[in-house]
Amino acid sequence: MAYQAITSFKTAALFALALSVHASTALTSVNALDTNTIANPATIEIRAQPNAPDGYSPADEDCPSARPVIRTASKLSPNETSWLEQRRGKTVGPMRDLLGRINITGFDAAAYISDHAQNISALPNIAIAVSGGGYRALLNGAGALQAFDSREQNSTVAGHLGGLLQSSTYLAGLSGGGWLVGSIFVNNYTTISNLLRRPAKTSSVWEFGNSIFKGPPNNGSSLLSISRYFDDIYQAVTDKAKAGFQTSITDYWGRALSYQLINATDGGPSYTWSSIATEQQFATGDTPLPLLVADGRAPGETVISTNSTVFEFSPWEMGTFDPTIFGFAPLEFLGSNFSNGALPSERKCVRGFDNAGYIMGTSSSLFNAFLLSIDSSASPDIPDIAKKFVTRILQTLNQTNNDIADYSPNPFYGYHNATNLGSQSERLTLVDGGEDLQNIPLHPLIQPTRFVDVIFAVDSSADTNSFWPNGTSLVATYERSRNKVSNGTSFPAVPDTNTFVNLGLNARPTFFGCNSSNTTGPTPLVVYIPNAPYVYLSNVSTFDPAYNNSERDAIVANGYAVATLGNGTVDSQWPACVGCAILSRSLGRTKTSVPEVCQQCFKRYCWDGTVNSTSPAPYQPKVALTAINVKSSDASERIQMSLLSGIGLTMLTIAILGL
C-alpha cells in the first residue's frame, strides 16, 4: 500500500485494532500480570542483533565488494555447506549421550556412534519440524522442544528425551511453530523454561494474557496506552512506506508479534533474521539451523494449491528448491533491486528488510484473515465503530491484495524466465506456509541435498472439528511429492485422513517410511507426533489470541507429555524406540543388524499399510493421564515442576492411545 493510502487510514487502523479486544476463553490468571515487560525485560540475552540501518525501515547502503547475486538451487549454499561441517561434528557428543542413556537393550548405541564418528555421513542426520496452529502450536511445540532439550531440568533422567535437540541439525517452524523457533533464536537460543520464567519484579517473555489487540502488560487496558502501542506499530510501518517500500497488513501483524516474542524494547524493530548468522554460537555450529516456511501466491490468486511454490528462510537466504524459481536470494539484502539474478552496478544494496518479526509474520500470514474478519465478528467486545473502520480498511486491502506479505521489489525478477511465472512481476507476494495444507514444515527437510535421515514432526494442526490433528499435513506433503513440482523429493507413503482417525494414528506417535527400500529415492523416516490430550485438553482455537500463564503452562506441559509419552509411563520402551528411529537409516548405511528391541519398536510404531477409509465418528478424545487443574493457586509453577520431574504423570488409561 502506498504511503498516502496508509495515512488516509491511520485513525481507522488505530481505533479498529485498539478497541478490538478479543475475549479469551481461558480461565482467569492465578497471578496478576506484571506491568513492566518492556521497561524491565526478562534477563535473557538478545541473540539476534539490532543491525538494521534505520529501525524497521529498510535503507540503502553501499554494497560489499562481492556484490550480492541470486544463486541457483542446484546445491546447498556455500554458507550452509561450511556450517554443516561444524554442526554435524557438534552433534556427535550429544547423540552419543542420548542414545547411550536411553538404553537400547542388547545394542551399545554409544559405542556405535563413537565407532563411526570419523565418518560423519554414516551417522544419523536429525531434523525437527514444528507445525503451525497459532499459540496452540507455539505452546504444544514448546513442550516438545522442552522435552528434547538437555539444558532443561531433569530432561535427561529415565523416560525423558533431553539431548534430541542438541543432536539435531535442522529445526523448522511454520506459522505458530515459526513463532516458537524465532522466539528461541532471537532470544539468545534460550530455553523454553527461560521464556516462561517470571524473574523478580518482571514478566516472562511469553506473556500471552494480553492479546496483541491490547499490547504488552505494562500498557494496561486504558484506551490511551493501547493507542500508544498501536501508534508505535503504525509509525514503524509508515516509516517503511515513506522509505519507498510496499507494505501490507503483515507488517502490522509482524510488529505486534514482536512485542510478544522478542525480549527487546518495542519488540526490537531493528532486529533482523539474517543477524542470527553473525552470532558466534550459531556460526560455530552449536545450534541447529532454524528454517521458516512460506508459500508463494500470485497476484489475484485466492486458493493456494499444493503446486504453489514453497519458500524457505534461513539466516543466510530465502528462496526455493522448487523448479519454478529454483533459486535463492541473500536474506541480508532483500529489498534490493535485483534483475536477471544480479544487482545492477548503479544500484545500492538495501539492508534491514528482513526484520525478524516480519519474517515470522510472513510464515503466519493466515492470521491476516483473522484481523481482516473482525468486521464480521459477533463478539460484543468489538464495538460497531471498530467493525466499520476495519470494513473500510478491508475493502482497500482486498483491492491491492495486501492480505499477504509483500517482498517487493521481487528479488527473482527476470530470473529463470522459462519456469518462473512471476519473473516479469515486480512484486513477490507470500502467504502463510500452511495455506497449501502442508502445515508441518517438511518441505525444506526432504530436499535430497540435505540428506536428512529422520524428522520428528510435531503436529498441532486443527484438522478436526474439535481442533485436533488428523494427518492432513502429511497427506498433503505426500501427494505433493508425487507431482512434478516436487523436483525429486521423496516422502514416505501415508494413509488417508480417515484412516489416521480410525486407527488412532492421530492420537499417538507413528513412524512412516520404516522400510526405506519401498521408497522411490532417499527418504527420511518420519516420526509423527500429533497433539493429543495426555494431561490437558490443548485443542484450543487457532485464533484464540490470549492465554493466562496457567493455561499457557498447561499446554506446554501437555506437549512435553505428548513427546515423551508421559515420561515413559505410557510405554516404558518409548525412549528406546525414539533411539531406534534415529538410528534406522544409519544402520542401513553401515550394514549393521537391526537390534531386536528396534524390531519390536518398529512393529509397534511403524504404519504397516493398513487402511480404514470409512467416515470416522466425531473425534472427541479424553485426557489419557492425570489431568492438570489450572485452577490451583500455584498452578503455573506446579505445572512446570511436575512436567520436568515426572511427578503426577500417573497413567490412567493406555487404551485411549491405542498402544
Side-chain angles (χ1 to χ4, degrees):
M1 145 191 340
Y3 169 59
Q4 290 79 5
I6 293 179
T7 302
S8 66
F9 290 110
K10 175 179 180 180
T11 303
L14 286 175
F15 277 94
L17 292 174
L19 295 177
S20 302
V21 180
H22 182 81
S24 173
T25 58
L27 295 172
T28 302
S29 178
V30 297
N31 295 310
L33 290 172
D34 292 327
T35 58
N36 50 3
T37 298
I38 296 180
N40 297 292
T43 55
I44 296 178
E45 285 184 54
I46 301 300
R47 171 175 180 72
Q49 295 184 17
N51 64 346
D54 189 21
Y56 187 71
S57 302
D60 288 346
E61 287 193 346
D62 291 335
C63 292
S65 56
R67 293 178 67 82
V69 297
I70 308 301
R71 74 166 185 88
T72 180
S74 59
K75 56 185 178 180
L76 295 180
S77 70
N79 285 324
E80 186 171 344
T81 300
S82 61
W83 177 86
L84 282 169
E85 293 176 359
Q86 300 186 77
R87 177 58 185 169
R88 293 285 275 128
K90 294 289 180 69
T91 65
V92 173
M95 196 182 308
R96 180 173 53 236
D97 293 343
L98 170 65
L99 294 174
R101 187 177 66 251
I102 59 181
N103 188 25
I104 300 176
T105 305
F107 181 74
D108 191 341
Y112 175 84
I113 298 298
S114 295
D115 290 345
H116 295 281
Q118 299 306 310
N119 180 16
I120 203 69
S121 63
L123 293 181
N125 191 12
I126 305 170
I128 301 171
V130 187
S131 82
Y135 293 95
R136 180 189 62 251
L138 181 152
L139 296 172
N140 182 64
L145 292 188
Q146 190 174 48
F148 297 159
D149 191 345
S150 62
R151 298 172 297 174
E152 295 282 6
Q153 183 181 6
N154 294 328
S155 68
T156 58
V157 301
H160 296 244
L161 297 172
L164 180 55
L165 179 63
Q166 283 70 26
S167 303
S168 298
T169 306
Y170 298 100
L171 175 59
L174 181 158
S175 194
W179 308 346
L180 168 63
V181 173
S183 192
I184 290 171
F185 272 85
V186 175
N187 293 308
N188 194 36
Y189 187 61
T190 191
T191 64
I192 301 303
S193 290
N194 279 340
L195 292 168
L196 298 173
R197 184 174 293 123
R198 297 167 63 89
K201 297 183 180 180
T202 69
S203 299
S204 61
V205 178
W206 285 356
E207 289 290 339
F208 301 142
N210 273 28
S211 78
I212 63 167
F213 301 113
K214 295 178 66 176
N218 76 309
N219 280 330
S221 59
S222 70
L223 180 60
L224 178 62
S225 58
I226 295 174
S227 297
R228 185 178 298 115
Y229 160 66
F230 280 106
D231 192 44
D232 289 344
I233 292 175
Y234 163 79
Q235 191 59 54
V237 179
T238 297
D239 289 344
K240 179 178 178 179
K242 283 182 177 180
F245 294 89
Q246 294 283 346
T247 60
S248 69
I249 200 167
T250 302
D251 287 280
Y252 296 98
W253 175 245
R255 287 298 303 122
L257 277 177
S258 297
Y259 280 80
Q260 290 194 325
L261 302 176
I262 298 175
N263 186 44
T265 301
D266 295 335
S270 298
Y271 287 77
T272 64
W273 192 258
S274 60
S275 73
I276 294 173
T278 67
E279 290 300 310
Q280 182 176 6
Q281 192 178 4
F282 173 81
T284 55
D286 289 307
T287 78
L289 173 61
L291 296 167
L292 300 190
V293 172
D295 291 337
R297 194 185 84 175
E301 188 177 35
T302 57
V303 177
I304 308 301
S305 72
T306 55
N307 287 329
S308 298
T309 299
V310 178
F311 290 81
E312 66 174 59
F313 294 81
S314 77
W316 303 294
E317 56 188 6
M318 68 84 70
T320 179
F321 288 99
D322 285 353
T324 48
I325 294 176
F326 200 60
F328 285 87
L331 190 67
E332 182 180 6
F333 299 112
L334 286 183
S336 303
N337 279 279
F338 290 95
S339 181
N340 301 312
L343 190 61
S345 58
E346 69 275 11
R347 295 282 192 178
K348 284 199 167 188
C349 286
V350 171
R351 290 184 60 253
F353 191 103
D354 63 313
N355 173 269
Y358 188 67
I359 301 298
M360 289 188 280
T362 297
S363 185
S364 62
S365 63
L366 172 65
F367 286 81
N368 292 347
F370 177 42
L371 297 180
L372 297 177
S373 66
I374 289 174
D375 70 312
S376 61
S377 173
S379 172
D381 297 285
I382 303 177
D384 288 340
I385 188 172
K387 297 176 185 179
K388 291 178 181 178
F389 280 133
V390 173
T391 298
R392 188 179 179 192
I393 295 172
L394 184 149
Q395 290 171 346
T396 301
L397 293 175
N398 279 347
Q399 291 172 7
T400 55
N401 292 298
N402 274 332
D403 58 324
I404 43 74
D406 202 320
Y407 278 74
S408 305
N410 179 9
F412 304 105
Y413 181 80
Y415 188 74
H416 286 170
N417 293 313
T419 56
N420 179 8
L421 297 179
S423 65
Q424 298 308 304
S425 174
E426 295 182 355
R427 294 184 74 190
L428 175 64
T429 54
L430 306 182
V431 295
D432 189 294
E435 288 198 29
D436 61 357
L437 299 184
Q438 296 186 93
N439 200 39
I440 306 175
L442 297 164
H443 183 269
L445 308 177
I446 61 175
Q447 298 304 318
T449 54
R450 288 198 165 117
F451 300 101
V452 172
D453 290 320
V454 57
I455 304 171
F456 289 84
V458 181
D459 190 5
S460 305
S461 303
D463 302 322
T464 71
N465 290 336
S466 52
F467 305 142
W468 300 106
N470 67 3
T472 293
S473 300
L474 296 189
V475 173
T477 300
Y478 172 62
E479 290 179 347
R480 191 180 196 272
S481 73
R482 304 173 69 187
N483 296 332
K484 289 183 179 180
V485 74
S486 67
N487 206 30
T489 59
S490 179
F491 194 76
V494 298
D496 59 275
T497 57
N498 284 352
T499 294
F500 266 89
V501 177
N502 287 327
L503 300 186
L505 305 182
N506 68 327
R508 63 177 178 84
T510 304
F511 299 170
F512 294 99
C514 293
N515 188 350
S516 60
S517 63
N518 285 343
T519 60
T520 58
T523 307
L525 186 151
V526 176
V527 178
Y528 180 59
I529 305 176
N531 182 30
Y534 282 64
V535 296
Y536 189 73
L537 290 170
S538 56
N539 57 326
V540 294
S541 169
T542 301
F543 295 110
D544 191 344
Y547 300 86
N548 66 60
N549 287 347
S550 295
E551 186 166 30
R552 177 200 67 181
D553 290 355
I555 298 174
V556 172
N558 190 72
Y560 195 108
V562 167
T564 62
L565 289 189
N567 301 333
T569 59
V570 172
D571 179 5
S572 61
Q573 279 196 324
W574 172 241
C577 292
V578 168
C580 293
I582 291 171
L583 287 166
S584 179
R585 296 293 191 260
S586 176
L587 294 175
R589 283 196 297 273
T590 59
K591 297 182 173 16
T592 302
S593 297
V594 178
E596 175 63 27
V597 68
C598 290
Q599 295 180 39
Q600 296 172 7
C601 286
F602 295 149
K603 184 176 181 179
R604 185 180 312 157
Y605 287 102
C606 290
W607 177 56
D608 62 4
T610 300
V611 173
N612 179 354
S613 301
T614 60
S615 296
Y619 184 65
Q620 296 288 350
K622 300 184 183 302
V623 173
L625 306 178
T626 303
I628 290 173
N629 178 8
V630 298
K631 294 181 180 180
S632 175
S633 61
D634 61 347
S636 182
E637 181 178 355
R638 178 183 56 77
I639 289 167
Q640 281 298 305
M641 293 303 296
S642 293
L643 81 92
L644 292 174
S645 66
I647 297 173
L649 292 179
T650 304
M651 179 173 61
L652 294 181
T653 174
I654 296 177
I656 293 176
L657 304 180
L659 295 174

